[in-house]
Amino acid sequence: MEVEQVLCMNGGLGDTSYANNSLIQKRAMFKAKPILEGIIRKLYCNSFPGCLKIADLGCSSGPNTLSVVWEILDIIDATCKQLKREPPMFQVFLNDLPGNDFNTIFRSLPSFYEKLKEVKGNNFGPCFIAGIPGSFYGRLFPNQSLDFVHSSYSLHWRSQVPEGLVSESGIPLNKGSICMAKTSPIAVHKAYLDLFERDFRLFLTSRSEEIVPGGHMLLSVVGNDRKPGDPRCTGWELLGITLSDMVQEGLIEEAKLDQFNLPFYAPTPEEVKQVIQTEGSFNIQRFDIYRVDWDANIDNGNKSLTSDSYTRGKNVARSIRAVAESMLASHFGNEIMDDLFERFSKKLSEYLEVAPGQATTIVVSMTKA
């Protein structure tokens, strides 16, 4: 699987689009909002830059894409009014892989600029927004050209599928699974962990060259806080079980399933800290861990917002389809997608009857050392 070619969220504005099924990502951003506010205020007041240069890495498309940008503009606006200073200009870079739906983002910019003018007035900014396609596991910007880097719900995606998932005799080591699951052997875990450490180290090294001295970075990543014996499943594990069921019914070839592994790894908090400390370019300012419900229609655990487990299962299945369909369709074919996700929604509903479905989120605030 060539990850850069097939890893992209569903574009457009349809029923299965990422734009209409990204509430969990929005909730994660909301959770990190107080941290973002503290960072931006400190960053601005420390240097009062004439132009604040910002990059959002793994921006995707849809309403979440520009929401972080708006939050930053709001924070700066309030800070400048409080200090009676003229606001700076803004240069914003939106980055994702080349397959991202940048066209939808660009079409939304005129209305964004118009709203900015109406709400903030003619004397605010100006704000210049540009798209930067490419992998963030490598350089994207010139040396010391950024003040602040933000990335939310992107760094759990790997640069590739790990090597070493097949034995020397050609036997798939992660047979029957599509990700690093509870049932995966130690060799599979090591392959995923080694790749995470390599990728994340490269990410940090690349950003350290691009961020100005004293610049800040805020990362939110899906993590793993399960202890040995923890009965909880991830949504990806349940998706793998759904595919296995279809193999048993003869709807998917067993070899097809055995050849498929997601370029996804949710690190533990300890693994994230270790790479940051070992790489050494950044100092950790805050390190927070919290959980977000798979069904983002649930607000702070208030299950009355969704009527039943069936509805919740449908909601979660749509959100995962918006993220994973491009990779699944490229390997298994488009013709099984509707059936797969209908079955998956039922599997999720059954699981949510007996267990909470929650994603662990790790939020790290750092400054360049």
Side-chain angles (χ1 to χ4, degrees), residues 101-173:
D101 186 8
F102 284 103
N103 285 337
T104 296
I105 297 174
F106 296 151
R107 283 193 291 267
S108 71
L109 290 181
S111 60
F112 179 86
Y113 289 136
E114 186 62 30
K115 179 184 176 183
L116 189 62
K117 182 178 178 180
E118 290 176 2
V119 175
K120 304 296 183 186
N122 291 327
N123 294 328
F124 184 83
C127 178
F128 305 98
I129 299 175
I132 307 292
S135 171
F136 50 50
Y137 294 121
R139 290 293 301 272
L140 291 166
F141 306 98
N143 289 350
Q144 298 187 16
S145 59
L146 300 174
D147 298 297
F148 175 65
V149 168
H150 174 268
S151 182
S152 183
Y153 268 43
S154 297
L155 278 162
H156 40 259
W157 293 110
R158 306 274 50 85
S159 62
Q160 63 183 63
V161 174
E163 298 175 353
L165 297 184
V166 178
S167 71
E168 293 182 1
S169 58
I171 299 174
L173 299 179

Side-chain angles (χ1 to χ4, degrees), residues 185-224:
I186 293 174
V188 171
H189 180 267
K190 185 178 186 304
Y192 271 101
L193 176 57
D194 288 349
L195 180 58
F196 162 73
E197 291 176 343
R198 189 194 78 183
D199 279 348
F200 192 33
R201 189 180 303 111
L202 181 57
F203 175 90
L204 293 171
T205 301
S206 298
R207 304 294 81 78
S208 72
E209 296 174 358
E210 297 165 349
I211 296 175
V212 299
H216 290 244
M217 185 154 59
L218 179 62
L219 309 178
S220 297
V221 58
V222 175
N224 172 22

Side-chain angles (χ1 to χ4, degrees), residues 67-356:
S67 64
V68 171
V69 178
W70 187 269
E71 292 290 349
I72 293 172
L73 299 181
D74 256 351
I75 295 164
I76 295 295
D77 186 30
T79 303
C80 289
K81 287 177 179 176
Q82 183 181 15
L83 298 176
K84 295 181 172 54
R85 295 185 65 94
E86 289 294 318
M89 293 186 290
F90 300 88
Q91 174 69 78
V92 179
F93 301 102
L94 302 176
N95 157 261
D96 214 311
L97 293 174
N100 184 54
D101 186 8
F102 284 103
N103 285 337
T104 296
I105 297 174
F106 296 151
R107 283 193 291 267
S108 71
L109 290 181
S111 60
F112 179 86
Y113 289 136
E114 186 62 30
K115 179 184 176 183
L116 189 62
K117 182 178 178 180
E118 290 176 2
V119 175
K120 304 296 183 186
N122 291 327
N123 294 328
F124 184 83
C127 178
F128 305 98
I129 299 175
I132 307 292
S135 171
F136 50 50
Y137 294 121
R139 290 293 301 272
L140 291 166
F141 306 98
N143 289 350
Q144 298 187 16
S145 59
L146 300 174
D147 298 297
F148 175 65
V149 168
H150 174 268
S151 182
S152 183
Y153 268 43
S154 297
L155 278 162
H156 40 259
W157 293 110
R158 306 274 50 85
S159 62
Q160 63 183 63
V161 174
E163 298 175 353
L165 297 184
V166 178
S167 71
E168 293 182 1
S169 58
I171 299 174
L173 299 179
N174 207 28
K175 190 175 177 64
S177 296
I178 63 171
C179 59
M180 226 294 295
K182 290 185 295 185
T183 56
S184 298
I186 293 174
V188 171
H189 180 267
K190 185 178 186 304
Y192 271 101
L193 176 57
D194 288 349
L195 180 58
F196 162 73
E197 291 176 343
R198 189 194 78 183
D199 279 348
F200 192 33
R201 189 180 303 111
L202 181 57
F203 175 90
L204 293 171
T205 301
S206 298
R207 304 294 81 78
S208 72
E209 296 174 358
E210 297 165 349
I211 296 175
V212 299
H216 290 244
M217 185 154 59
L218 179 62
L219 309 178
S220 297
V221 58
V222 175
N224 172 22
D225 64 350
R226 291 189 301 188
K227 306 300 181 185
D230 191 328
R232 289 178 296 161
C233 286
T234 67
W236 300 115
E237 287 173 300
L238 293 173
L239 180 59
I241 293 170
T242 306
L243 286 163
S244 292
D245 291 346
M246 296 179 74
V247 169
Q248 296 302 315
E249 295 182 34
L251 300 174
I252 296 174
E253 294 179 14
E254 185 175 8
K256 271 280 190 184
L257 177 58
D258 292 342
Q259 292 163 4
F260 183 80
N261 288 281
L262 285 167
F264 176 95
Y265 180 75
T268 67
E270 293 76 18
E271 290 164 354
V272 172
K273 284 182 180 178
Q274 182 188 25
V275 176
I276 295 171
Q277 292 166 352
T278 301
E279 196 277 334
S281 297
F282 293 89
N283 294 323
I284 297 174
Q285 302 298 316
R286 283 192 59 167
F287 196 98
D288 294 64
I289 301 169
Y290 56 85
R291 291 179 180 171
V292 179
D293 201 284
W294 291 350
D295 180 9
N297 293 283
I298 292 180
D299 186 11
N300 295 324
N302 181 4
K303 292 182 173 55
S304 66
L305 293 178
T306 46
S307 57
D308 51 44
S309 61
Y310 174 77
T311 303
R312 294 183 65 205
K314 296 284 282 187
N315 291 340
V316 178
R318 279 197 301 269
S319 68
I320 292 181
R321 181 172 187 171
V323 169
E325 185 169 17
S326 63
M327 291 179 288
L328 291 163
S330 70
H331 185 80
F332 295 104
N334 284 303
E335 61 276 4
I336 72 162
M337 290 298 107
D338 288 343
D339 186 22
L340 168 61
F341 282 99
E342 179 62 32
R343 291 165 176 263
F344 182 42
S345 70
K346 293 177 182 177
K347 187 75 68 177
L348 286 161
S349 299
E350 293 168 1
Y351 179 80
L352 293 171
E353 287 279 1
V354 298

